[in-house]
Amino acid sequence: MRDLLTGSRIRERRQIAGLRQAELARQVGISASYLNLIEHNRRRIGGKLLVDIAGALAVEPSVLTQGIEATLISALREAAADAVGQQAEIETLEEFAGRFPGWSGVLAQMHRRVVSLERTVATLSDRLTHDPHLAASMHEVLSTAAAIRSTAAILADPQDIDAEWQDRFHQNLHQDAERLADSSKALVTYLDESDTSKDPRGAPLEEVELFLEARGYSFPELDAGQGADVIDLGGLNTSAARNLAGEWLKQSEADAKAMPLDALKTTLADGDPNPMELAQRFSVDLPTVFRRLASLPEGVLSRPVGLVICDGSGSILFLKSVPGLSLPRHGEACPHWPLFSALNRPLVPIRRQVAQQGRAAAMFECHACAWPHGVSGYDQEPSYRAAMLIRPLVDAEPNPEATRVGPSCRICPSGDCGSRREPSILSEGF
């Protein structure tokens, strides 16, 4: 295909040079009609004629024969796939890039910027909604600014104000201005520290997840038969995080005893794990299988395994991600994930292929199950938790039967979803 674009590049260069077709044909010793066929990619060109045309256009022959960079072509394909309400002519993509390399670069650059801005919007939206410290700081800044505006409006009133009251208002204005400056500095400091620090302030669950991630979610001490108490939790900053980590490690200790590593390796030697078969083989429930698979040492499984656990409200209690997964840590997740469907059918195993929509398009195989948690007596309503095992499907063929999920309603490209909570900012006309 790229060889066939040489004519398009010759025409583009001729037009840039300001030469007429007949003039260029005369310079290289061919007819204008033959050059017209070349420029419309109807005749192949090479050898001496290519060198002569390149000389007449004052460019290197390689400029006329080399293809467009693969990254540019890939970027244009992504832009076409992400277009809302538009159907691009993919079959002419390389010809467009060959004829208009400048405009192609502009389009690719704008698409990258749009993707970056959308990710920023999603991150800031999630943070503004769920970060308690940030919400309190923003409230302080806005309330102080409102107080300053009110005081300034009173002082700007043309009616005479008693000198004593003017002094009071000026003093209030000065104090509010100092408070606004201090609040703004504190907010900026918090944002700067949050961007560079791995200490998730006010989020013990995330602190525990960072601790587990640093250990690769695997603890050889537990597989060796040692107790959870031997694992050092000194790297955790808060008592809440240490308590949560201790509970997780005790659960992992029980899982390791129920599914010993050596026996599990022998079972997994035959291929990818089937959670239902593993549950029957080791006489355990599915949540135990999910947790155990997600905590195996690197190299035991042929592909990465993710795990998500939530409670009956849908709040994420644990998240081990996998490459390509786009699942919000704090609420507003797509309700079509099997994790949430399992809450509607406790103790019923669910297995689905999931097609993730949007910029981070990917395919996953998901296993989910919900179970009663924390029942302590008769005639008490149980609370439920759900767990979902996630395995990426690399190079999987599109499956029209797969469950479509989005990152969140605000940035989901699906226009026909009956579960949408709010309009998407990606809708046409935004």
Side-chain angles (χ1 to χ4, degrees):
M1 176 64 183
R2 292 185 175 183
D3 293 340
L4 298 178
L5 295 178
T6 301
S8 299
R9 299 188 190 99
I10 292 175
R11 180 171 66 253
E12 184 69 18
R13 288 291 176 174
R14 176 179 61 78
Q15 292 173 349
I16 293 175
L19 294 176
R20 298 177 59 188
Q21 197 174 67
E23 184 178 357
L24 177 59
R26 179 179 55 78
Q27 292 184 22
V28 298
I30 60 176
S31 65
S33 60
Y34 187 66
L35 179 59
N36 183 65
L37 293 174
I38 292 176
E39 290 188 350
H40 284 83
N41 301 308
R42 297 179 182 176
R43 292 292 186 274
R44 291 185 177 274
I45 180 176
K48 181 178 182 302
L49 179 57
L50 177 63
V51 174
D52 292 342
I53 292 179
L57 296 175
V59 298
E60 291 293 329
S62 60
V63 174
L64 303 178
T65 57
Q66 67 183 4
I68 302 300
E69 292 293 335
T71 54
L72 179 58
I73 296 293
S74 176
L76 292 176
R77 290 187 183 278
E78 291 180 6
D82 292 338
V84 178
Q86 302 293 330
Q87 187 66 35
E89 295 82 0
I90 300 297
E91 63 277 2
T92 61
L93 181 61
E94 292 195 15
E95 182 177 358
F96 171 77
R99 293 184 60 186
F100 308 106
W103 279 111
S104 299
V106 170
L107 181 60
Q109 183 184 43
M110 294 300 294
H111 175 254
R112 287 192 295 268
R113 179 163 177 78
V114 168
V115 171
S116 176
L117 290 175
E118 287 177 355
R119 288 174 179 168
T120 301
V121 167
T123 301
L124 291 179
S125 174
D126 187 60
R127 189 169 184 181
L128 283 170
T129 304
H130 302 286
D131 189 328
H133 186 92
L134 180 58
S137 299
M138 289 296 297
H139 176 74
E140 175 71 14
V141 170
L142 294 176
S143 61
T144 306
I148 292 175
R149 180 178 181 181
S150 299
T151 304
I154 294 174
L155 291 174
D157 194 299
Q159 297 181 2
D160 291 336
I161 302 177
D162 185 76
E164 181 181 355
W165 280 101
Q166 283 189 1
D167 291 340
R168 291 183 180 181
F169 283 132
H170 280 113
Q171 184 178 3
N172 291 341
L173 188 62
H174 176 70
Q175 292 174 349
D176 288 340
E178 287 186 337
R179 187 156 60 99
L180 178 61
D182 292 340
S183 300
S184 301
K185 290 179 181 178
L187 179 59
V188 171
T189 301
Y190 172 72
L191 292 175
D192 288 342
E193 290 179 353
S194 298
D195 288 339
T196 57
S197 173
K198 287 193 174 183
D199 174 17
R201 302 168 185 269
L205 283 174
E206 294 183 8
E207 189 177 354
V208 171
E209 288 173 7
L210 286 175
F211 167 75
L212 296 176
E213 182 181 1
R215 295 290 301 264
Y217 297 93
S218 176
F219 296 88
E221 301 93 330
L222 303 182
D223 290 324
Q226 301 182 49
D229 296 335
V230 303
I231 298 176
D232 182 19
L233 302 180
L236 299 172
N237 298 321
T238 64
S239 59
R242 288 190 289 271
N243 289 336
L244 289 173
E247 292 177 3
W248 177 265
L249 291 174
K250 289 180 181 178
Q251 182 66 70
S252 298
E253 178 185 356
D255 294 341
K257 291 179 179 179
M259 303 179 69
L261 181 59
D262 292 338
L264 193 53
K265 285 182 177 180
T266 302
T267 305
L268 296 176
D270 296 332
D272 283 345
N274 183 316
M276 288 292 293
E277 293 180 359
L278 290 177
Q280 296 173 3
R281 165 70 175 78
F282 290 93
S283 301
V284 296
D285 56 15
L286 278 177
T288 299
V289 175
F290 295 167
R291 291 191 301 266
R292 188 65 174 130
L293 291 177
S295 62
L296 290 177
E298 185 177 357
V300 176
L301 298 175
S302 60
R303 50 178 169 159
V305 168
L307 177 66
V308 187
I309 300 176
C310 75
D311 62 14
S313 69
S315 299
I316 303 298
L317 305 179
F318 178 83
L319 174 60
K320 177 191 176 185
S321 188
V322 290
L325 179 66
S326 178
L327 183 64
R329 180 64 180 80
H330 297 288
E332 297 188 2
C334 178
H336 295 301
W337 281 105
L339 174 72
F340 307 121
S341 301
L343 290 171
N344 297 325
R345 295 187 292 167
L347 302 178
V348 176
I350 296 176
R351 177 181 180 179
R352 290 180 187 170
Q353 191 174 108
V354 171
Q356 185 173 265
Q357 308 295 302
R359 307 294 183 191
M363 295 289 294
F364 301 99
E365 180 186 36
C366 297
H367 301 257
C369 182
W371 72 98
H373 176 80
V375 179
S376 58
Y378 293 105
D379 299 324
Q380 291 186 358
E381 289 292 333
S383 60
Y384 288 92
R385 289 189 178 181
M388 178 172 67
L389 190 75
I390 308 172
R391 293 189 288 188
L393 295 175
V394 182
D395 299 328
E397 294 293 331
N399 181 3
E401 302 298 326
T403 301
R404 295 189 305 166
V405 301
S408 66
C409 286
R410 185 169 298 180
I411 55 173
C412 180
S414 298
D416 56 349
C417 178
S419 301
R420 180 173 292 281
R421 296 184 292 265
E422 59 180 327
S424 172
I425 64 173
L426 306 182
S427 59
E428 189 175 3
F430 169 70

